[in-house]
């Protein structure tokens, strides 16, 4: 095994020599009707629309670029401060600053097309109508391969209730988007973990027409600055991301995959390494998004893709599809691994 | 184009209240321009500190026995800078740079007043070098709270026509702040342009004084940054564009250097109502989902 | 200021010299009818019943010892593995192993009494009746100063639904416990963050008679072992604790205090330092519990108490009660701090 | 009583596949008994690794120029041990110890067979010293997967009547496992007692062989530990008490040394149905709250 992984922290020990030749693993993965060359994408809001990231990563070699949630109109976002670092996490409150759909279609998508990238476009609205309008505007736009519907937004038509926190509101959005969008383009609903029953929300979205699910958006958090004695973010609360939330994210993917095994899932939340990505695939995701880790390491998406290929090869897998949901099933490979890691081979591995 | 390199620490030493760390960083050293910055990944892996720390580039040596090197000056303020201060020669650190827009240099020889607050002096030295290469006259003002927080006074003296030092406690130089001496220096030198780097309130004051004197002014700002490369939108501040429209622009890629009069200093920490994309409606956002009162002040 | 705090990570820079003389801050705090000498307690399940911790900390000097949730009968808990380390967190699935109330009353409480500690006894049951029976058994037992009702347990009478996830089930437990318990002993409901609306659960518990609230229990998480390719814990999912969850915990305290400003709150979740504890007080907690950090530093509760006193003194506060909920109000001290931390004093603090 | 100390690293060196780190740890060194362990806080602050790492105590020097020192032998398996391996002399690390129950020593001089697997050999050396001080005869078996994972063969040879070495790959000594040679050594020496430390399956095999030969046996187990001091209940395994009742006992405070025949090796990783507090009812627990199927295998 070339990667000495710590199963507990998910960290590869850097000292371990890396396999140099690219292992022959089939990385393609299927998201509903779409086939991606590999399962590693960027998380919405963590790679803008790909251009800046392009300085560090060849965006055409990623599974897809998931773009920052776009709204109909340009939007200035929240006042600063917009972030606070937390232990193994990041709290942010950007407020969906963005150029609006017109400029996005004019400047951002073409750049992605020119550079051979596949785009999963994230859309956000404050009413069901806005979501539908965005989906309609994106019909036929290249290089869009899927839509991701960010429903962690307050519904201005319903006392600011967040769509993702209510199965009915969530399904209203997804039904409208599925209706308005290009029928050939799969629609993913991006869910919030801040609910009592994420399976209920997932099921409602799928029933309304979502082709897949993106799990998870950030957790609602708050940091108080102990010097100012006030909340650190101008918006008081913010969204918590990063490795801190990874166990929550893997749990959500696990639960939803267990309940809806045929629905494709894009998993995300705290992925820093190929082994972290592997956890999400084993839990049931078909693809993963890398978010906050990009801020730590701008070449992370490419690195994680390569580490994942290596980790799969080291475990004797030839295809990504072989591991999707495998942790639910166990099976011979798992059993073999089990005994090794537990030291059941006696004086093996570790001694 | 910025690059990401893992480079060996060559030296890490104290300078008054600050630390100077020099790192082998080929690719960064060759490209760096005055006013640009680097970001550093902090903490031993698996680190709990996810955001990289930003530092202005102080010295670069594009060639050398070890390849190009980059030097930064920093104050220990929290866990990340404490970690950096503890790095030893031969330790390897992860740098990304050069980042951001550099200072613009005058096309003709000009009289330039350089104003630095504390470690904000750091980027002024490569700037002074570039200006001198263009035949500019350089006058420097360095200010700090206390003497040990002045950086580079000796070096500044060497490369400037005049050096004025201020400290808040009066331990050395003029008691007071750089803004107390700036009007005098501007008129004495007949300055053509002002460059400044330091804390935001200093930049605001310098900008106001320069504007009053009719002297154009460039400032290098320091806003909290989560990514440093333009993808996250944390580092914004309200800046007036060529078209007269205020936008919340990213200080990491559209800055950190701005024309002072373009920065709406008084509105930093707000989204001005006339900014592009500002809505008068109640702030609609991704996360607040409580019925409880959540207003900040 | 003696503590150079990082407002973002909440970590005191260790290099900073510590004030040696104990600062004169009044640390007493009031939890309903009970006055504790200081606000720092141990979190349930992270200090057993105090005895082992007593090797590292004088338990009589803590605000209180919150004991491991006790059930009516002895309980063997879950099979191992019971833990996985996660980034700045810990996932555990102990399964409430414990000796049962008889042995607890016979051996554990007397030890705490002998050693001058105050006990907040955490109780857990699988039916409303079990909770009530426990509360009744604890009537008049010294040195019990409060009960903490751990309602993050599945209700065997309702398809295993967790009490804490349903306002009605939660209030049924709290009503029964309040009824059965010694009227002089305040009853705290310990809530789960894994709900869409924690304020609704909190409000229901208080309406049912809870005198206070403990926030928060662990977040539901899952880690997959990338060597065995199976969940790392025998119970598949587990509870996530530690600094990773602190922003979620502070947010819960903030929301509940905003909605129920007169209800005393014991805050917890990832407290590692006095500044972390201060965040909880500023958000509205009257006391805090230290959990996972005890595993990292067994003397943490005493250290955190001292660091808190220092941090209060350094900020010019004379009483703990002055800071409770202060972050909601702002005010002159906050304003002063604000300008300092933002560098508004020009060439001040940082330069 | 265990203490918590912050002590300086004196030395950190390689020994085959292992690292040996010695740390100034007054208070721990003086109290330590063979079979006890220490825990180490890993990672620079603010560390992302919350649980301390446990290591058997190898050598202690209660007095010395630096005060008492403690030495442990460890393999790098993950981020925590990688961090520990990178510590330099003068770095300070945080130790808690001595923890756990030590090996019991025979009251009379006896013939003792000590069996160590890989780094499990470490606690056998202080044990051997204590046994020799009581006039015991010592025979040692050390086994490992490969030669570089054998620890302390030279030292073992010096202090034992006989030393038998096994490696799985046959690179040195007998090809095979310690359990392959144990029956022979037991009968050849007429052993009175067996002491063993190593991975769980080895301890199970050693216990079975010793039981078959009618020789009492003490084993030092290694279970995942979150706290190491008895407060968390992560480190349990099913052990039969004096009263014949199986309990899930904490290996950190009730162990790590147990009488082999008391440990229900075959039931490790389960809660036996006859264990104290085991319920036949569906496992009732604190956290599962999904309607989705959650069964493990
Ligand atoms: C463009 C730019 C150039 C800079 N140049 C220098 C320099 O040359 N020398 C120097 O000493 N410092 C410089 N700083 C400030 C430096 O980045 C911070 O002091 C440092 O990030 C603090 O890290 P910490 O972990 O010690 O503190 P913490 O307070 O623990 O940091 C927590 C988080 O807040 C952020 N943060 C804290 N303080 C600042 C700050 N003042 N500005 C931006 N982000 C902050 C950190 O990046 C981190 O994400 C610069 C900042 C920027 C944006
Ligand atoms: C009583 C006792 C004595 C030990 N003595 C030694 C010794 O003398 N030399 C030595 O090399 N190792 C010893 N170990 C094992 C050692 O504690 C682990 O190898 C070490 O914790 C791994 O840490 P890591 O960060 O490198 O690995 P990671 O796998 O990243 O650790 C993640 C988590 O799992 C735990 N963990 C991982 N492996 C083990 C293990 N084998 N046993 C217990 N917990 C584990 C860690 O403590 C941590 O909480 C002992 C363990 C125990 C319980
Ligand atoms: C700065 C920042 C901005 C984000 N913006 C968006 C967004 O616009 N739309 C969205 O659906 N998610 C957004 N997210 C959430 C991420 O896409 C992702 O779901 C979350 O951060 C968890 O993944 P991570 O831990 O890898 O970052 C944002 C996250 C961060 C950190
Ligand atoms: C090992 C472990 C066991 C726990 N057992 C209990 C318990 O029995 N009852 C309870 O109410 N909470 C229990 N908790 C939750 C803690 O009391 C606390 O709410 C949570 O861990 C968050 O605090 P922390 O991050 O400081 O640990 C346990 C936590 C841990 C880590
Ligand atoms: S710091 Fe991320 S956009 Fe500027
Ligand atoms: S490790 Fe915590 S009780 Fe043993």
């Amino acid at each position: 095994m070339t990667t000495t992984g710590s199963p507990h922290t998910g960290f590869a020990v850097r000292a371990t020599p890396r396999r140099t030749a690219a292992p022959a693993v089939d990385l393609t993965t299927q998201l509903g009707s779409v086939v991606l060359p590999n399962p590693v994408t960027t998380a919405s809001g963590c790679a803008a629309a790909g251009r800046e990231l392009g300085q560090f990563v060849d965006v055409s070699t990623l599974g897809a670029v998931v773009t920052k949630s776009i709204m109909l109109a340009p939007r200035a976002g929240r006042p600063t401060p917009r972030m606070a670092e937390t232990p193994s996490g990041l709290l942010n409150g950007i407020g969906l600053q963005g150029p609006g759909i017109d400029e996005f279609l004019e400047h951002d998508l073409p750049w992605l097309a020119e550079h051979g990238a596949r785009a999963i476009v994230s859309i956000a609205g404050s009413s069901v109508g806005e979501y539908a309008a965005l989906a309609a505007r994106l019909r036929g736009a290249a290089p869009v391969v899927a839509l991701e519907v960010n429903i962690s937004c307050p519904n201005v038509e319903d006392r600011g209730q967040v769509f993702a926190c209510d199965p009915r509101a969530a399904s209203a959005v997804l039904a409208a988007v599925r209706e308005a969008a290009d029928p050939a383009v799969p629609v993913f609903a991006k869910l919030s973990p801040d609910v009592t029953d994420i399976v209920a929300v997932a099921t409602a979205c799928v029933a309304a027409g979502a082709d897949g699910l993106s799990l998870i958006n950030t957790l609602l958090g708050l940091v108080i600055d102990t010097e100012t004695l006030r909340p650190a973010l101008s918006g008081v609360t913010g969204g918590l991301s990063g490795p801190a939330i990874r166990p929550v994210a893997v749990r959500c993917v696990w639960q939803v995959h267990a309940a809806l095994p045929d629905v494709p899932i894009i998993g995300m939340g705290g992925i820093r390494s190929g082994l972290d990505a592997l956890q999400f695939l084993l839990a049931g995701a078909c693809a993963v998004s890398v978010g906050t880790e990009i801020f730590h390491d701008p070449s992370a998406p490419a690195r994680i893709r390569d580490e994942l290929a290596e980790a799969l090869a080291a475990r004797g897998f030839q295809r990504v599809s072989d591991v999707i949901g495998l942790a639910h099933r166990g099976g011979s490979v798992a059993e073999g691994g089990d005994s090794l890691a537990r030291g059941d081979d006696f004086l093996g591995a570790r001694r | 184009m910025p690059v990401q390199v893992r480079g060996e620490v060559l030296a890490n030493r104290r300078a008054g209240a600050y630390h100077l760390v020099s790192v082998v960083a080929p690719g960064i050293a060759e490209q760096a321009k005055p006013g640009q910055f680097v970001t550093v990944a902090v903490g031993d892996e698996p680190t709990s500190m996810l955001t990289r720390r930003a530092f202005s580039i102080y010295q670069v040596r594009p060639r050398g026995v070890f390849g190009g090197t980059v030097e930064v000056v920093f104050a220990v303020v929290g866990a990340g800078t404490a970690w950096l201060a503890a790095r030893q020669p031969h330790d390897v650190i992860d740098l990304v740079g050069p980042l951001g827009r550099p200072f613009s240099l005058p096309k003709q020889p000009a009289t330039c007043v350089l104003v630095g607050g504390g470690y904000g002096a750091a980027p002024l030295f490569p700037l002074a070098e570039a200006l001198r290469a263009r035949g500019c006259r350089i006058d420097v003002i360095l200010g700090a709270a206390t003497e040990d927080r002045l950086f580079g006074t000796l070096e500044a003296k060497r490369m400037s026509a005049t050096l004025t030092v201020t400290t808040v406690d009066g331990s050395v130089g003029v008691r007071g702040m750089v803004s107390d001496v700036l009007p005098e220096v501007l008129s004495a030198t007949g300055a053509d342009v002002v460059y400044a780097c330091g804390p935001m309130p200093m930049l605001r004051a310098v900008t106001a004084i320069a504007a009053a004197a009719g002297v154009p002014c460039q400032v290098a700002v320091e806003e909290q940054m989560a990514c440093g490369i333009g993808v996250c939108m944390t580092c914004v501040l309200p800046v007036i564009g060529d078209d007269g429209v205020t936008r919340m622009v990213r200080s990491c890629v559209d800055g950190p250097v701005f024309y002072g009069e373009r920065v709406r200093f008084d509105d930093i920490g707000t989204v001005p109502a006339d900014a592009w994309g500002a809505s008068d409606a109640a702030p609609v956002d991704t996360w607040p989902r409580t019925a409880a009162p959540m207003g900040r002040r």
Side-chain angles (χ1 to χ4, degrees), chain A, chain B:
Chain A
M1 216 171 286
T2 48
T3 331
T4 303
S6 155
H8 306 284
T9 60
F11 264 85
V13 175
R14 296 276 156 113
T16 310
R18 287 264 170 77
R19 185 184 288 239
T20 42
V25 175
D26 176 1
L27 289 180
T28 57
T29 193
Q30 190 138 6
L31 288 179
S33 55
V34 174
V35 176
L36 300 182
N38 67 70
V40 180
T41 73
T42 58
S44 178
C46 300
R51 196 189 300 248
E52 297 84 356
L53 194 69
Q55 301 174 113
F56 301 95
V57 172
D58 177 352
V59 291
S60 72
T61 69
L62 299 179
V65 172
V66 182
T67 56
K68 167 92 187 155
S69 294
I70 194 79
M71 302 192 76
L72 278 179
R75 196 176 150 96
R78 277 187 183 161
T80 54
R82 291 179 167 187
M83 66 156 273
E85 196 179 64
T86 76
S88 298
L90 178 72
L91 193 75
N92 88 81
I94 307 296
L96 291 181
Q97 179 171 350
I101 189 70
D102 294 341
E103 199 167 310
F104 178 78
L105 287 169
E106 193 175 336
H107 294 118
D108 293 338
L109 272 184
W111 186 92
L112 286 167
E114 272 160 37
H115 289 78
R118 286 149 297 282
I120 297 180
V121 175
S122 172
I123 57 174
S126 33
S127 66
V128 172
E130 270 183 50
Y131 282 100
L134 285 160
R137 290 294 308 277
L138 284 158
R139 269 177 174 255
V144 179
V145 297
L147 298 186
E148 187 175 85
V149 189
N150 174 4
I151 52 174
S152 294
C153 300
N155 180 353
V156 294
E157 293 167 349
D158 182 20
R159 297 161 296 125
Q161 278 299 108
V162 174
F163 293 102
C165 289
D166 173 12
R168 271 164 314 159
S171 59
V173 173
L174 268 295
V177 169
R178 182 60 286 174
E179 170 82 22
D182 184 339
V185 170
V187 170
F188 280 69
K190 181 157 176 188
L191 305 190
S192 163
D194 292 327
V195 293
T196 310
D197 187 353
I198 197 165
V199 170
V201 184
T203 307
C205 289
V206 170
D211 303 287
L213 299 162
S214 295
L215 305 168
I216 59 173
N217 215 317
T218 52
L219 276 75
L220 190 69
L222 195 162
V223 167
I224 293 179
D225 183 324
T226 51
E227 300 306 316
T228 65
L229 312 178
R230 300 282 307 158
L233 266 55
S234 77
V236 182
T237 55
L240 183 66
S241 64
I245 70 167
R246 194 197 307 140
V248 173
V250 174
R251 182 263 298 176
C252 290
V253 171
W254 174 282
Q255 289 181 324
V256 170
H257 181 71
L260 304 167
D262 300 325
V263 176
I265 293 172
I266 306 177
M268 74 206 72
I271 295 176
R272 295 199 67 188
S273 70
L275 291 182
D276 298 342
L278 180 57
Q279 278 200 54
F280 281 85
L281 299 181
L282 290 165
C286 310
V288 296
S289 296
V290 178
T292 306
E293 175 63 6
I294 292 175
F295 307 163
H296 185 75
D297 173 9
S299 50
R303 171 177 59 75
I304 290 168
R305 177 200 61 216
D306 296 344
E307 288 173 356
L308 176 63
E310 235 173 65
L312 290 170
R315 284 158 185 74
F317 294 106
Q318 261 110 56
R319 280 173 302 272
V320 160
S321 54
D322 291 344
V323 295
I324 296 171
L326 185 65
H328 294 259
R329 301 191 296 274
S332 61
V333 181
E335 295 302 325
D338 216 351
S339 73
L340 250 179
R342 286 211 186 140
D344 290 349
D345 73 336
F346 224 97
L347 298 177
R350 288 198 167 176
R351 305 237 181 179
Chain B
M1 199 157 96
V3 294
Q4 182 175 16
V5 297
R6 289 172 58 79
E8 239 182 61
V9 171
L10 283 179
N12 200 347
R13 57 189 196 283
R14 297 293 300 257
Y18 302 118
H19 298 254
L20 262 95
V21 64
S22 42
V23 189
V24 180
I28 300 181
E30 293 80 345
Q31 295 187 71
K33 294 202 180 67
Q36 289 188 301
F37 65 96
V38 293
T39 60
V40 179
V42 292
D44 288 352
E45 287 298 327
T47 183
S48 66
M49 297 180 278
L50 302 180
T51 58
R52 305 173 71 90
R53 273 45 177 177
F55 303 100
S56 301
I57 296 172
Y58 166 48
Q59 296 285 16
V60 294
R61 294 196 179 72
R63 279 166 305 275
V65 270
F66 308 103
T69 62
V70 166
E71 194 163 24
V72 304
V73 181
F74 66 96
V76 171
V77 300
T81 44
W83 180 87
L84 192 58
R87 289 317 90 196
Q88 304 284 329
H90 306 302
D91 285 354
V92 169
I93 63 180
D94 176 328
L95 292 182
V96 169
L99 293 166
R101 295 215 177 139
F103 290 110
S104 306
L105 305 181
K107 305 234 157 38
Q108 325 267 262
T111 296
C112 305
V113 173
L114 278 52
V115 188
Y119 61 72
L124 303 182
F125 295 99
L127 172 65
E129 228 167 84
L131 292 171
R132 290 216 302 178
R134 302 198 166 201
C136 295
R137 172 194 159 115
I138 290 155
D139 297 90
V140 177
I141 305 174
L142 297 181
T146 52
E147 183 175 4
D148 62 339
R149 288 171 177 190
L150 285 168
F151 178 75
T153 43
L154 281 183
E155 198 183 344
K157 185 163 253 159
R158 238 183 11 249
M159 63 198 333
S160 61
T162 68
L163 167 66
T164 312
V165 166
T166 68
T167 52
V168 174
D169 67 351
S171 47
V172 64
V174 179
R175 179 189 302 268
M177 300 194 277
V178 294
S179 47
D180 297 330
V181 300
L182 179 60
E184 170 84 26
V185 173
L186 288 186
S187 63
T189 59
D192 298 309
V193 48
V194 173
Y195 294 97
C197 181
M200 215 59 100
M202 178 193 114
L203 301 181
R204 176 175 52 193
V206 168
T207 298
I209 292 165
V215 182
C217 158
Q218 293 177 38
V219 299
V221 306
E222 189 182 304
E223 266 291 346
Q224 245 192 335
M225 294 181 177
C227 76
I229 60 168
V231 297
C232 75
M233 315 299 289
T234 53
C235 62
V236 299
L237 71 182
V239 173
I240 303 162
D242 292 336
D243 54 3
V245 175
T246 295
R247 289 181 184 76
M248 301 302 291
V249 306
R250 295 163 298 179
S251 58
C252 66
V253 289
D254 303 315
V257 176
F258 294 99
Y259 287 103
E261 69 273 21
R262 294 293 183 84
V263 178
R264 292 177 61 172
F265 284 107
D266 292 339
D267 296 320
I268 286 179
T270 73
V271 175
D274 59 344
W276 193 66
S279 67
D280 297 317
V284 173
D285 214 280
T286 325
W287 292 283
R289 64 191 60 159
T290 170
M294 280 277 185
R296 180 172 160 91
R297 248 153 282 182

